[in-house]
Amino acid sequence: MRFTKMHGAGNDYIFVNCFQEPMPENPAELARQVSDRHFGIGGDGLILICPSEKADAKMRIFNADGSEAEMCGNGIRCVAKYLYDHGLARKPVLQIETGRGVLNLRLELQQGRVQQVEVDMGEPILDPERIPTQLPGNPQYGGAVVETPLLVADQTLLVTCVSMGNPHCVCFVEELTDSLVSTLGPQIERHPQFPNRVNVEFVQLVSSQEVKVRVWERGSGETLACGTGACAVCVAGVLTARTSRQLLAHLPGGDLKLHWSEKDNHVYLTGPTVEVFTGIWKGSADWLLEEE
């Protein structure tokens, strides 16, 4: 199986071109094998680039633990780069089908190759049942879960919940620390208040237009960046009157630009895309020992 390793702001995935390669029989197990950073290729998950009847391509994403996710903001930008750079869809604006629906992506080119992509991520979902979360909505915010107390590990955090096609729990904190992310992150991910688990964003405010973010991703652990998570942070920042609608998010793997538009209520995500290398996966860790 031929694959391509790509990343968006350090959020790295193994991509398979299913226009040319057969669809994996068990993509969940394949995701677990290839994502292993010691015995596999190494990555935050597996993304399949598939034909679509309604768009230029369809993206399916599997986390490192094999669970299938609805959406990935960094991953979809890389899919757009792959489609253009590899000649599958040579257009400046692409449409890609996801678990969130069909999304539009605008490509920024340098010397004929994609360097950066803007994604129209659509409207944020704030209805608790659709996120989903069992936390009560705040009537002051039209029933959205905004600054709602969440008890975890004998601590009470004020959280704001947003779905960008996948669920997010945003926590503004005074300081980002390893213990905060690694201890509370997995406990919030699997908290009973989130029936489908949840991605967790810890946010330190720099200014009304700038934040630092670390993310504990559902099914993958801490990642260097999360595009949908950065979008959720932008929405949460506006709802809690902490940030403006245009926001620069600093993540460990790089910077992402966000804009929650008043005009159409859509969130726009802009960030880099990088192709790292290509290779052939031979079915198990044994391929490392084989000679061509």
Side-chain angles (χ1 to χ4, degrees), residues 95-144:
Q95 291 190 316
I96 297 176
E97 182 183 355
T98 73
R100 175 83 200 267
V102 176
L103 300 184
N104 295 318
L105 299 93
R106 188 175 302 276
L107 313 183
E108 297 182 18
L109 307 176
Q110 289 185 12
Q111 298 180 339
R113 298 180 70 84
V114 177
Q115 299 298 315
Q116 192 161 256
V117 179
E118 179 194 77
V119 190
D120 179 352
M121 300 286 286
E123 297 187 71
I125 297 168
L126 301 176
D127 178 4
E129 290 187 3
R130 294 177 61 202
I131 289 173
T133 178
Q134 295 174 356
L135 289 170
N138 189 332
Q140 181 181 348
Y141 296 94

Side-chain angles (χ1 to χ4, degrees), residues 11-24:
N11 192 195
D12 58 340
Y13 291 91
I14 295 93
F15 293 78
V16 177
N17 175 3
C18 293
F19 285 82
Q20 298 176 354
E21 298 290 326
M23 182 71 67

Side-chain angles (χ1 to χ4, degrees), residues 153-218:
D154 297 323
Q155 299 184 52
T156 299
L157 303 174
L158 295 179
V159 304
T160 298
C161 296
V162 180
S163 172
M164 294 304 306
N166 55 354
H168 294 272
C169 177
V170 181
C171 313
F172 288 91
V173 297
E174 291 296 320
E175 183 181 4
L176 298 176
T177 64
D178 291 341
S179 61
L180 181 71
V181 178
S182 62
T183 300
L184 295 187
Q187 294 190 52
I188 297 173
E189 176 195 352
R190 297 181 178 277
H191 198 285
Q193 296 286 9
F194 301 104
N196 292 347
R197 296 189 291 168
V198 74
N199 300 286
V200 189
E201 287 75 39
F202 298 96
V203 188
Q204 181 180 335
L205 194 67
V206 177
S207 71
S208 63
Q209 297 179 319
E210 198 171 353
V211 291
K212 295 180 180 179
V213 184
R214 289 178 65 176
V215 183
W216 182 272
E217 283 203 51
R218 177 183 60 167

